[in-house]
Amino acid sequence: MSISIPDLATVRARHPEAIAEAAARRVRRPLIGDNGRLMIVAADHPARGALGVGDHRLAMANRADLLERLCVALSRPGVDGVLATADILEDLLLLGVLDDKVVMGSMNRGGLAGASFEMDDRFTGHRPEDIERLRFDAGKLLLRIDYDDPGSLRTLESAARTVDEMAARELPLFVEPFISRRADGRVRNDLSAEAVTRSIAIASGLGGTSAYTWLKLPVTDDPDAMAEALEASTLPAVLLGGEVGKDQEGAYEKWRKALRLPSVQGMVVGRSLLYPAEGSVETAVDTAVSLL
């Protein structure tokens, strides 16, 4: 039984068990579908306090609006699934829109955007046992490494143990690595070819096995350098979408070129599809799907 968005708070208050029931009856599918490609819509930004889209600082703060956009995106042909935190995935379960979709739980959201502890990205989201219990299909962790921050060693260790725990359950884990540094009080991710190559090499070696590890990667600043960066690993990879930019056509072209590389299996894109600078969610999603 599915419900409407205005009913969510009432159902949560009176029937919290409905979430587990919805998870138990969800119709699952293989991670990779018939076309051999993945298109995942990402919506795990709010749990990090990252609510801004372009110049709108609180664009993602309206949960009903976000859920409506996600429902539209998930209804489009070629969209395989969604990546989000527990609160959003459970809303979508109750809304009944996750049948035959890949459901990916976001695991570490402790490094709040703009906080002094942003680089201390602890696992405050899904645990491996939660993803298994709810019959979700994969997990995702963010791995930002700052060579000037000793706390990055803690992040590496906790990420490695999560790789182990997910592999023990035979659950895919998408690792999103960056070489990062603070500049003018903000964390900046280095997308140079060397930094992306180094981040791939580090992420690929985490844990006691890489059998269930995937990489979730940005396209290098110079898209022509992406092929060489990907030579650092044999792990399957998906591209991440990143911030909403003014030159969306330029972003599409970068994705199109990188998607032709052998180890790239698809894309995980969020704000640029859910909150397109121009046009509708339907148009943005359909354009992204056409790149695959």
Side-chain angles (χ1 to χ4, degrees), residues 234-254:
T234 59
L235 299 185
V238 292
L239 305 179
L240 64 91
E243 299 279 350
V244 175
K246 295 180 180 179
D247 183 15
Q248 192 60 46
E249 288 302 319
Y252 287 145
E253 185 55 37
K254 289 176 68 173

Side-chain angles (χ1 to χ4, degrees), residues 5-292:
I5 292 173
D7 298 327
L8 286 170
T10 299
V11 172
R12 283 177 168 277
R14 300 180 182 178
H15 301 289
E17 72 282 358
I19 292 170
E21 292 169 357
R25 65 173 176 265
R26 181 178 72 89
V27 178
R28 299 181 67 179
R29 51 154 277 179
L31 180 68
I32 303 295
D34 293 338
N35 69 353
R37 307 292 269 174
L38 267 180
M39 169 57 76
I40 304 293
V41 178
D44 57 344
H45 314 80
R48 198 181 292 284
L51 301 172
V53 178
D55 296 329
H56 189 348
R57 290 170 55 83
L58 296 176
M60 299 187 77
N62 186 317
R63 181 53 55 87
D65 177 64
L66 173 58
L67 291 173
E68 287 173 359
R69 292 170 183 270
L70 281 167
C71 288
V72 170
L74 287 166
S75 73
R76 303 307 297 170
V79 173
D80 293 291
V82 62
L83 160 66
T85 46
D87 54 332
I88 293 174
L89 291 182
E90 289 166 358
D91 282 345
L92 294 173
L93 279 171
L94 292 172
L95 293 172
V97 298
L98 295 183
D99 281 347
D100 295 308
K101 298 296 182 184
V102 173
V103 181
M104 297 173 57
S106 189
M107 307 183 78
N108 59 329
R109 310 309 289 167
L112 302 185
S116 61
F117 52 86
E118 182 171 354
M119 294 299 293
D120 188 356
D121 204 0
R122 302 192 187 193
F123 285 72
T124 59
H126 284 105
R127 301 166 300 174
E129 55 262 42
D130 299 322
I131 294 173
E132 180 180 49
R133 171 177 51 84
L134 291 164
R135 302 172 62 248
F136 291 163
D137 305 298
K140 172 256 180 177
L141 66 84
L142 179 63
L143 179 68
R144 293 180 294 186
I145 303 164
D146 183 347
Y147 278 68
D148 294 323
D149 186 343
S152 288
L153 180 58
R154 184 187 304 112
T155 300
L156 282 165
E157 183 179 22
S158 58
R161 299 292 74 79
T162 302
V163 168
D164 292 337
E165 291 179 34
M166 291 291 283
R169 293 169 168 83
E170 300 184 354
L171 286 168
L173 177 62
F174 288 69
V175 180
E176 181 179 345
F178 290 98
I179 302 299
S180 306
R181 59 180 56 86
R182 286 192 179 272
D184 301 321
R186 294 186 60 187
V187 175
R188 308 282 186 179
N189 297 324
D190 187 346
L191 301 186
S192 67
E194 180 178 342
V196 172
T197 300
R198 197 178 300 278
S199 73
I200 291 172
I202 293 168
S204 298
L206 289 174
T209 177
S210 61
Y212 292 89
T213 303
W214 286 57
L215 299 174
K216 180 172 178 276
L217 301 172
V219 180
T220 49
D221 284 332
D222 176 3
D224 291 330
M226 191 65 182
E228 186 173 354
L230 284 168
E231 291 176 356
S233 177
T234 59
L235 299 185
V238 292
L239 305 179
L240 64 91
E243 299 279 350
V244 175
K246 295 180 180 179
D247 183 15
Q248 192 60 46
E249 288 302 319
Y252 287 145
E253 185 55 37
K254 289 176 68 173
W255 296 344
R256 183 180 290 107
K257 183 175 292 188
L259 283 164
R260 303 285 78 84
L261 299 173
S263 62
V264 177
Q265 310 295 309
M267 294 193 295
V268 179
V269 188
R271 287 173 287 189
S272 57
L273 300 186
L274 295 173
Y275 299 86
E278 297 180 3
S280 64
V281 173
E282 293 97 327
T283 300
V285 171
D286 292 349
T287 301
V289 168
S290 72
L291 302 177
L292 297 176

